């Protein structure tokens, strides 16, 4: 698999990770955890609108919304505690790489995309599962939302 | 040179008060320059591999339970050479006083302490309450990474037998006390992984026959500190039915949560012979023809196992 198959923002993130040494990749993941946007107030006050991804080691909640226009951009929302920077970092990568894309673009992201970040050894396969699960959950929700609209 | 031991009323009631330090004590030691001058080594060991980087106790070094302490090929801990190299790189010498702390009520810190003990490191202590208590008290955190002067650590052969049980040891142990520290859903066999944790692929659910179910976190109070000796006795002697002098094996899923219970039994209640079965449920629940009990009852010792 090459990064050419990925949406451009996500491909750029993958390229950034791959260009770095392992310790630098961890540092970059930390930066993504710091850059994860806060939930908008309407979701903050309604935790029941978010779903928990139980495969993550720390609590991670997410939801998606599809914008009501021709482009049909999908917006992603994540919530994870500050004490879980690895989980937050993964969420930050997916947010920056996928937020605002169309359902079709998100669904075309290969399921094993997290492996491309080159973090598996540094953070262990166990911790990588959370990220794969997060991407899987987003794709399932996007697919379900597209079916409803179709 | 060992650093002086903390004296306080709570710790004095424990069998080995020298194994714990309080956040106040550590803050004072840092204030006195003990961490900066290397007479005391603070080690952070967390579940989250990036948590240390978000801010840690000033002067503390990081040891990751998975990437530093586990062998990356065989399911085993690192060997003496790798441990010596790791310790020295963190500024730890054989006679250093090491204080370990971490997230989640010291769950992973206790695991790191147990691995240090496999190598016979003499003076290794836990910060009572761990990282969360330090943070809750508003104490100083820093992102500055220390550059410790390398320690002098000999290559010591790991001595597993006194505190580590393997599957065959557990089979031979059946009939003597076992403590299962997993959640009740894992104990009964309703599920094979922790609630809200990844499925780790055990083919069978349940518990080792006769094991008492005492989830690990019961040894900790709300603030993450260990419960008092009296409270721990009510749980482990009263409820689990352990008696003084018992030979005990504790287990969980991969041996991390049970390290916390191992610490409580060995150093706080003073059981001489306590072993952690680190193969735990990810081994037992996948092993062929080992006895398993499902449901909330402890069950009985099977006759003629494997005969």
């Amino acid at each position: 698999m090459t990064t050419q198959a990925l949406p451009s923002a996500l491909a750029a993130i993958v390229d950034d990770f791959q260009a770095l040494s392992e310790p630098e990749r961890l540092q970059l993941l930390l930066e993504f955890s710091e850059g994860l946007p806060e939930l908008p107030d309407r979701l903050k006050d309604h935790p029941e609108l978010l779903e928990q991804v139980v495969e993550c080691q720390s609590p991670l909640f997410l939801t998606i919304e599809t914008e009501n226009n021709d482009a049909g951009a999908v917006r992603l929302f994540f919530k994870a505690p500050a004490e879980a920077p690895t989980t937050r970092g993964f969420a930050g990568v997916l947010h920056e790489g996928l937020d605002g894309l169309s359902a079709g673009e998100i669904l075309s992201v290969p399921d094993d995309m997290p492996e491309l970040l080159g973090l598996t050894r540094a953070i262990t396969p166990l911790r990588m599962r959370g990220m794969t699960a997060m991407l899987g959950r987003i794709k399932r929700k996007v697919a379900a939302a597209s079916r409803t609209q179709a | 040179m060992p650093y002086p031991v903390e004296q306080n009323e709570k710790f004095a009631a424990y069998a080995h008060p020298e194994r714990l330090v309080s956040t106040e004590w550590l803050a004072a030691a840092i204030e006195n320059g003990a961490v900066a001058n290397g007479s005391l080594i603070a080690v952070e060991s967390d579940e989250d591999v990036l948590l240390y980087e978000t801010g840690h106790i000033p002067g503390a070094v990081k040891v990751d339970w998975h990437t530093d302490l586990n062998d990356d090929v065989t399911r085993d801990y690192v060997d003496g050479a790798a441990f010596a190299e790791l310790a020295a790189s963190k500024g730890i010498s054989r006679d250093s006083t090491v204080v370990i702390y971490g997230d989640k009520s010291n769950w992973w810190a206790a695991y790191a302490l147990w691995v240090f003990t496999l190598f016979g490191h003499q003076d290794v202590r836990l910060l009572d309450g761990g990282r969360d208590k330090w943070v809750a008290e508003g104490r100083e955190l820093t992102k500055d990474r220390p550059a410790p002067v390398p320690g002098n650590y000999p290559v010591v052969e790991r001595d597993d037998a006194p505190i580590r049980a393997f599957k065959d040891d557990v089979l031979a142990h059946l009939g003597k006390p076992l403590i299962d520290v997993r959640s009740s859903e894992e104990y009964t066999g309703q599920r094979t992984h922790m609630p809200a944790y990844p499925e780790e692929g055990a083919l069978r659910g349940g518990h080792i026959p006769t094991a008492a179910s005492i989830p690990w976190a019961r040894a900790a109070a709300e603030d993450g500190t260990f419960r008092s000796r009296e409270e721990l006795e009510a749980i482990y002697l009263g409820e689990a039915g352990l008696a003084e002098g018992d030979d005990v094996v504790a287990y969980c899923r991969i041996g991390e949560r049970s390290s916390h219970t191992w610490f409580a039994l060995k150093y706080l209640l003073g059981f001489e012979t306590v072993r952690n079965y680190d193969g735990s449920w990810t081994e037992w629940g996948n092993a062929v023809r080992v006895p398993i009990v499902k449901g909330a009852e402890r069950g009985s010792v099977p006759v003629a196992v494997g005969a």
Side-chain angles (χ1 to χ4, degrees):
Chain A
M1 192 171 87
T2 70
T3 56
Q4 284 163 0
L6 298 174
S8 60
L10 194 56
I13 294 171
V14 168
D15 285 344
D16 286 347
F17 272 96
Q18 288 186 348
L20 297 172
S21 68
E22 214 171 68
E24 291 167 334
R25 286 175 190 163
L26 284 174
Q27 188 58 39
L28 183 57
L29 189 64
L30 185 62
E31 286 164 24
F32 274 103
S33 84
E34 290 162 355
L36 181 69
E38 287 270 310
L39 286 178
D41 289 343
R42 64 190 154 79
L43 287 176
K44 255 187 213 165
D45 300 337
H46 291 279
E48 75 280 4
L49 295 175
L50 290 104
E51 286 181 17
Q52 181 168 15
V53 181
V54 296
E55 291 87 346
C56 295
Q57 288 206 341
S58 301
L60 182 277
F61 297 84
L62 64 82
T63 193
I64 64 156
E65 289 176 2
T66 306
E67 285 182 353
N68 214 353
N69 55 32
D70 290 347
V74 177
R75 309 309 306 264
L76 306 180
F77 302 94
F78 298 91
K79 187 181 129 201
E83 306 81 62
T86 303
T87 301
R88 279 184 67 86
F90 286 156
V93 165
L94 293 177
H95 186 268
E96 188 169 317
L98 301 177
D99 184 54
L101 298 185
S102 70
E105 287 171 306
I106 292 176
L107 292 175
S108 75
V109 175
D111 293 339
D112 59 355
M113 167 266 146
E115 303 290 332
L116 293 175
L117 297 173
L119 287 163
T120 308
R121 208 201 70 85
I123 71 169
T124 75
L126 178 63
R127 289 158 169 156
M128 282 306 292
R129 273 187 227 173
M131 181 149 193
T132 310
M134 225 184 279
L135 175 61
R137 178 68 67 91
I138 291 167
K139 289 176 68 175
R140 280 203 299 283
K141 287 184 74 71
V142 169
S146 321
R147 275 198 303 276
T148 315
Q149 280 169 358
Chain B
M1 282 294 292
Y3 197 78
V5 166
E6 175 171 6
Q7 312 285 342
N8 71 44
E9 203 181 325
K10 179 193 171 192
F11 295 171
Y14 294 134
H16 294 276
E18 74 280 7
R19 293 293 176 174
L20 283 175
V21 307
S22 66
T23 49
E24 295 80 11
W25 182 92
L26 181 59
I30 291 171
E31 188 73 18
N32 294 337
V35 171
N37 70 24
S39 53
L40 187 67
I41 313 286
V43 172
E44 177 160 335
S45 190
D46 298 317
E47 175 174 279
D48 193 301
V49 69
L50 285 176
L51 189 54
Y52 170 90
E53 282 77 7
T54 68
H56 51 82
I57 294 179
V61 293
K62 167 185 174 179
V63 170
D64 186 67
W65 66 275
H66 206 312
T67 56
D68 288 328
L69 299 176
N70 276 266
D71 185 274
D72 59 4
V73 180
T74 309
R75 182 173 172 187
D76 198 359
Y77 299 98
V78 293
D79 63 13
F83 185 76
E85 191 185 331
L86 170 73
S89 74
K90 303 294 175 186
I92 300 170
S93 296
R94 187 65 173 161
D95 61 355
S96 293
T97 295
V98 177
V99 172
I100 310 185
Y101 72 95
D103 58 354
K104 309 202 167 181
S105 304
N106 275 331
W107 164 357
W108 303 93
Y111 182 81
L113 183 144
W114 179 74
V115 176
F116 270 67
T117 307
L118 289 174
F119 289 97
H121 193 90
Q122 282 299 317
D123 191 1
V124 55
R125 315 177 190 179
L126 276 187
L127 175 66
D128 200 24
R131 178 184 168 96
D132 292 346
K133 184 158 191 277
W134 183 275
V135 172
E137 291 168 347
R139 298 185 188 276
E140 191 184 351
L141 293 173
T142 179
K143 289 186 183 176
D144 293 343
R145 289 185 199 216
V149 177
N152 185 4
Y153 214 94
V155 173
V156 181
E157 200 182 330
R158 228 176 49 217
D159 184 12
D160 291 338
I163 61 166
R164 185 181 186 193
F166 295 98
K167 184 178 121 237
D168 287 346
D169 300 327
V170 177
L171 282 167
H173 180 86
L174 289 178
K176 295 184 207 163
L178 283 152
I179 305 282
D180 183 319
V181 316
R182 297 172 302 158
S183 60
S184 61
E185 293 90 340
E186 292 168 277
Y187 180 84
T188 57
Q190 212 180 321
R191 59 165 88 219
T192 52
H193 59 102
M194 275 181 281
Y197 267 67
E199 174 61 67
E200 284 179 325
L203 293 173
R204 291 289 187 270
H207 57 269
I208 301 176
T210 74
S213 170
I214 306 284
W216 73 281
R218 294 198 46 206
E222 295 277 298
D223 63 358
T225 56
F226 280 104
R227 293 198 176 278
S228 69
R229 175 142 195 182
E230 199 178 20
E231 292 169 316
L232 292 177
E233 285 180 349
I235 295 169
Y236 295 102
L237 275 60
E239 213 175 307
L242 298 182
E244 200 184 322
D246 271 349
D247 172 1
V248 190
V249 169
Y251 72 94
C252 58
R253 178 187 54 123
I254 56 171
E256 13 65 284
R257 285 172 286 178
S258 43
S259 299
H260 189 271
T261 298
W262 169 84
F263 183 92
L265 293 176
K266 183 154 183 83
Y267 294 130
L268 307 185
L269 292 181
F271 284 89
E272 288 285 323
T273 313
V274 189
R275 285 174 295 168
N276 180 23
Y277 168 39
D278 60 282
S280 276
W281 202 257
T282 50
E283 178 177 48
W284 198 272
N286 284 314
V288 176
R289 291 184 86 185
V290 296
I292 287 173
V293 173
K294 285 183 94 76
E297 298 302 320
R298 292 185 188 181
S300 51
V301 180
V303 273
V305 175

